[in-house]
Amino acid sequence: MTANHHLKEEIRDYWSKRSETFDLAFGHRIPPGPEFDAWQKPIRNVLGRTPRRFLELACGTGEVTRLIHDLGHHVTALDFSEHMLAVARRKHTGKARLRFLLADAERPMEPLGSYDAIVCRHLVWTLTEPEKAFAEWHALLKPGGKLLVFDGDWATPTRRGGLAARLIALLDRWYGPDTHYDSALGSRHAQIMANLPFGSGLTQERLMPLLRQAGFTNFTILSHAPIAAAQRRNANLRDRLRTLVYRRFILCAQKAANV
């Protein structure tokens, strides 16, 4: 049994334990209104409105699933936590064009060349074997298919983010910690990060060469700032500060049309 197997089971157990309260954590649930629109806009603009076959990797409780499905696409939403999938299924009961799948995002085991687009949010930093995963994802896409990644560097606060993190720590001391929010400083979260390839930080600059090596091309970087601005609209002070701590990004890559 490999070390990666043990690490993957630790990751699965961590997210499974968080499944029932995950939507209460700031930054995970996507409420209707400006925040929903801000998250959906990159999907709509980059991947279009024409109904296509989407694979959503690490769908969790099904928040991004709604963004994609509401645009009229056919969605396979995959997660390796049965507990997360149970929450997602309850949210989307009875919907057509939607299939939930219990599987590992690093090895989805879906038919090759069967998807027009792959979308994932806050998944790539957790990959135990990213090079193999990217090659798998590339193979699942049809020629011309696109990969859309929402992620961030959860290891190193920005310069402004360092100050925001200190202010959050003060608020935690004054008012008590937010029991639903497990930041990168949480002890178990930190232990997992320490053993991951991207545990020292995931940036678009680190990610693009690995995706290029897997065969992806035509990279587009989109700003996460509109999403953060929408999140701050109705947030309390502590949550507004959280949007400033880490550098986040949106990256789109494409499989060549002539593959």
Side-chain angles (χ1 to χ4, degrees):
M1 193 173 289
T2 67
N4 276 340
H5 174 82
H6 290 298
L7 179 57
K8 194 171 287 292
E9 289 306 310
E10 176 71 12
I11 295 169
R12 187 203 311 270
D13 184 63
Y14 171 80
W15 293 113
S16 293
K17 281 183 167 56
R18 295 199 64 196
S19 61
E20 290 300 329
T21 59
F22 201 34
D23 284 342
L24 300 175
F26 176 77
H28 178 71
R29 181 174 175 270
I30 304 175
E35 189 174 340
F36 185 95
D37 294 340
W39 279 104
Q40 194 181 58
K41 186 175 180 180
I43 300 171
R44 184 175 62 247
N45 289 356
V46 173
L47 304 174
R49 282 183 171 273
T50 302
R52 300 188 185 280
R53 290 198 68 204
F54 272 64
L55 176 63
E56 184 197 353
L57 299 171
C59 70
T61 66
E63 289 293 291
V64 174
T65 310
R66 182 181 289 109
L67 302 178
I68 304 168
H69 187 269
D70 282 7
L71 290 172
H73 298 297
H74 298 262
V75 185
T76 293
L78 174 157
D79 204 282
F80 75 163
S81 165
E82 293 184 48
H83 299 276
M84 285 287 189
L85 281 177
V87 177
R89 284 192 177 103
R90 288 198 296 269
K91 285 184 184 178
H92 298 285
T93 299
K95 289 185 179 180
R97 298 181 286 99
L98 180 56
R99 165 186 173 232
F100 287 104
L101 179 65
L102 179 65
D104 184 351
E106 297 197 45
R107 293 174 182 81
M109 305 297 288
E110 286 288 273
L112 303 184
S114 58
Y115 287 99
D116 298 294
I118 295 174
V119 177
C120 59
R121 178 176 73 150
H122 303 168
L123 163 68
V124 172
W125 74 271
T126 71
L127 298 177
T128 60
E129 297 179 287
E131 292 90 346
K132 290 183 179 179
F134 299 151
E136 291 265 354
W137 300 355
H138 185 269
L140 291 177
L141 287 169
K142 298 176 183 178
K146 294 181 179 180
L147 169 69
L148 187 62
V149 174
F150 295 84
D151 223 304
D153 179 355
W154 313 113
T156 309
T158 64
R159 183 175 300 178
R160 181 174 60 166
L163 174 59
R166 290 192 289 274
L167 291 173
I168 292 168
L170 286 175
L171 291 170
D172 285 348
R173 257 188 302 188
W174 290 337
Y175 300 107
D178 181 346
T179 57
H180 298 305
Y181 188 83
D182 190 2
S183 71
L185 300 178
S187 58
R188 191 172 183 193
H189 194 289
Q191 288 170 6
I192 291 173
M193 284 189 72
N195 291 292
L196 291 171
F198 293 125
S200 60
L202 172 65
T203 64
Q204 58 205 36
E205 292 82 7
R206 287 190 68 186
L207 181 55
M208 283 192 289
L210 297 178
L211 291 174
R212 190 174 289 113
Q213 180 181 315
F216 286 97
T217 185
N218 293 341
F219 295 96
T220 303
I221 306 297
L222 304 171
S223 174
H224 196 280
I227 294 174
Q231 289 177 322
R232 286 192 288 270
R233 282 196 177 194
N234 297 310
N236 59 36
L237 175 59
R238 182 159 47 186
D239 288 340
R240 290 200 300 273
L241 289 169
R242 283 179 175 139
T243 68
L244 305 175
V245 177
Y246 298 109
R247 179 188 174 198
R248 294 179 283 175
F249 62 87
I250 306 169
L251 184 149
C252 180
Q254 189 170 23
K255 182 173 181 174
N258 58 357
V259 173

